[in-house]
Amino acid sequence: MDKPPLKFYNTLSRQKEIFTPIDPNKVGLYSCGPTVYDYAHIGNMRSFILSDMVRRTLEWNNYEVNQVINITDVGHLTNDTEDTGEDKVERQARASGQTVAELTKPFIDQFFQDLNSLNIKTTGTAFPKATDYITDQINLIQTLETKGFTYQTSDGIYFDTSKYEKYSELGHLNLDAQNKDSRHANSTKKKQPADFALWKFSDETTARLQEWESPWGIGFPGWHIECSAMSMKLLGNHIDIHTGGEDHVAVHHSNERAQSESATSETFVNYWLHNAFITVGGKDKMAKSADNFYTVTDLAAKGWPALAYRYLVLTAHYRSPLNFSEESITAAKNTLINLNQEIFSYPEDGDILTDYLEKFTEYINDDMGTPRAIALIHEILSTTFKTADKRATIEKFDEVLGILDENLINKTDDIIPEEIESLADDRDIARERGDWDQADLIRQQIELKGYTIKDTPNGRKISHIDYINLMLYYNM
Ligand code: AMP
Ligand code: ZN
C-alpha cells in the first residue's frame, strides 16, 4: 500500500496541506529557540518537542532534515510587542553582576541536558547564538534600508510594515483597528503600531554589556532580525518549515516573514507550524513572568522523569492547549512505566505487524496525530498477537515517538518522591497516636498523587498506581 501523504497544518493558510519539499530529499527546518536569561520551563520545552516531532516525522518519511534551533542572547526586550523595556539578558546579567557569557552558560548547558533527557534529537542540529551573527544582521538591515523598508526614530531603526503588503496574512491581523487604537499612538514613536525595531541605539549615558558598531551608531539588534539572518545564512533564503509557540504568530513570526521577504523578494517559509500552550490551573499560560512554571529539573526532583513529560505532551495534539498538573504528570509517569515494563518483558526479534504500521503512518502523517498513535500502542498491547511481534511493532513506532527507555523501569520504580515519603511519615505518626481518621485522610492524599501505601509486616510499602486506561480515557 502507498504511504498516505504527509500533511501539516500551515498557520499561514489555516489548513492542512500536503507537504511538498523545496529540495526532494533535504528539508530545511528552523525553530525559534530559548531566550537564555533563565532556565527554560516545560512550557518552552513543548515547542522543542514539536520541533523534534516534525524532524522525526520527516525522517519517518525518508527525508533528511537540516535543523536549526537558535539561542537568543541579545535583543529580546521585556515588552517585546512594543519594542520597549529592557533587554532580558542584559538586565539579568547586570542584576547578578555577571557578564552575559557567565550568565547564559548554565542556562544553555541545562537546555542541552533537558533536550537530551526529553529524547529530543540533536545530532546534526545547529544551535546558533544571536551574538555570533551580528554582522549578518547588520547586513540584512542594510539591505532593507537600501530597498526603502526602514526609517529612523530617536531610539533606533524601524521596519515600516506599511511597505510590506502581506504583513497581516500570517497573524490574521486587523491593522486598521491597531492603527486606530489610541494606546499605541500615545506610547510609541513608530509610524504604525505594528512597525518593529531592527536596530536599537545604545543609551549615550550608559555603556551596555553588549553593544556593537553599526552604520547607524553603537547599539544592538532587535529580536526578530536574528531569526531571519540566521535562518537565511544557515538554511538559505527560502526554507520549508519554521516552528514555534503560538504566541509567536502575531508578532515575532509576522515580523520575521516581513523583513525576510522584503529583503530577498522571495518566499521565506512554506509551512509555519505552531504549538498551543501548556497551561496551569486549566487556563493560565505557563510563563516565567507568571511564576507558575516547572523546569525539567523540578520534575525530576519530584520523581517525574522527563520522558513522562514527553509522553504527556504527546497524548495531546500539538495544536491543542494542554493543562499541566501534578495529577496529569503522575498519571503519565505511571502509564509510561507500565508501558516500558510490559514491552521490555517481551522477547526480541519479532515481526512488525504491518496493518498497525500502516495505521501508525496514517496517524502520524496526518499533521502528527500523536494521541491516536499512542492509543494505537495500547490497542496493540491488548491484542493476542505474539508478544515479540507487539514489541517489534511498538519499537518501530518509537523511532517517531521516542518514549521507550529501558532505564525508566528500574530507575523510577524505586524513586518515591520526597513529598510522598513525608506524607507517609505523617501518616505513621497519626497511626502511632491512634488517629485513624487523620491517617486515612493522608492515605487518600497519597492516592490522589498517584501512589498506594500498604502496611506489611516489614513496614510500609509505597508503590505507584496503574493508570494505563485512565490516561487513554482522558485523551480520547
Ligand atoms: P522564549 O524562551 O520565551 O523565547 O520561548 C521559547 C519557545 O517557547 C517559544 O517558541 C515560545 O512560543 C514557547 N513557549 C513559551 N511559553 C510556552 C507555553 N506555556 N507553552 C508552550 N510553548 C511556550
Ligand atoms: Zn525566532
Side-chain angles (χ1 to χ4, degrees), residues 31-48 70 72 76 80 88 111 223 243-249 252-253 274-280 284-288 292 309 322:
S31 304
C32 289
T35 308
V36 286
Y37 68 104
D38 200 344
Y39 295 109
H41 58 68
I42 57 171
N44 301 132
M45 298 320 285
R46 187 183 200 187
S47 75
F48 307 115
N70 70 296
T72 298
H76 196 167
D80 52 28
K88 294 182 184 186
F111 176 62
W223 170 38
T243 73
E246 66 183 0
D247 52 336
H248 283 349
V249 179
H252 184 53
H253 288 169
H274 296 97
N275 62 277
F277 290 142
I278 296 294
T279 57
V280 180
D284 300 322
K285 177 188 171 192
M286 183 177 283
K288 281 168 200 159
N292 60 1
Y309 180 66
L322 173 64

Side-chain angles (χ1 to χ4, degrees), residues 5-21 27-29 50-51 53-59 61 63 65 240-243 270-274 317-319 364-369:
L6 172 58
K7 288 186 197 155
F8 290 124
Y9 180 90
N10 191 346
T11 307
L12 186 59
S13 64
R14 264 48 174 191
Q15 56 193 359
K16 284 185 200 169
E17 294 175 15
I18 291 181
F19 177 70
T20 314
V27 177
L29 167 63
L50 167 63
S51 174
M53 286 308 298
V54 174
R55 170 183 174 158
R56 286 170 180 260
T57 299
L58 289 164
E59 289 174 348
N61 287 273
Y63 293 113
V65 182
D240 296 286
I241 304 174
H242 194 112
T243 73
N270 284 355
Y271 303 87
W272 292 90
L273 270 60
H274 296 97
H317 190 261
Y318 74 91
R319 285 188 284 113
I364 284 300
N365 278 9
D366 183 9
D367 194 33
M368 298 174 287

Side-chain angles (χ1 to χ4, degrees), residues 180-335:
K180 283 185 196 133
D181 187 338
S182 56
R183 278 173 307 172
H184 288 296
N186 295 337
S187 73
T188 179
K189 299 167 220 131
K190 299 187 260 188
K191 287 191 193 167
Q192 289 87 217
D195 295 354
F196 54 92
L198 297 164
W199 188 262
K200 293 275 270 187
F201 304 137
S202 287
D203 183 341
E204 276 167 19
T205 53
T206 33
R208 285 173 47 91
L209 295 172
Q210 300 196 109
E211 54 188 3
W212 294 266
E213 292 281 356
S214 82
W216 315 281
I218 294 179
F220 60 101
W223 170 38
H224 318 292
I225 196 77
E226 69 173 80
C227 287
S228 291
M230 295 189 289
S231 179
M232 283 154 67
K233 175 94 185 232
L234 299 170
L235 297 171
N237 289 354
H238 179 195
I239 71 158
D240 296 286
I241 304 174
H242 194 112
T243 73
E246 66 183 0
D247 52 336
H248 283 349
V249 179
V251 180
H252 184 53
H253 288 169
S254 291
N255 294 352
E256 282 186 33
R257 180 169 179 255
Q259 64 202 1
S260 305
E261 298 199 345
S262 302
T264 64
S265 310
E266 289 177 55
T267 299
F268 177 43
V269 170
N270 284 355
Y271 303 87
W272 292 90
L273 270 60
H274 296 97
N275 62 277
F277 290 142
I278 296 294
T279 57
V280 180
K283 57 178 185 352
D284 300 322
K285 177 188 171 192
M286 183 177 283
K288 281 168 200 159
S289 52
D291 204 18
N292 60 1
F293 63 89
Y294 283 90
T295 62
V296 171
T297 313
D298 296 335
L299 295 189
K302 292 202 147 210
W304 295 309
L307 277 194
Y309 180 66
R310 181 180 175 103
Y311 180 85
L312 177 65
V313 165
L314 298 185
T315 58
H317 190 261
Y318 74 91
R319 285 188 284 113
S320 304
L322 173 64
N323 192 55
F324 178 84
S325 67
E326 299 208 345
E327 285 77 17
S328 65
I329 187 75
T330 303
K333 170 189 158 179
N334 294 331
T335 311

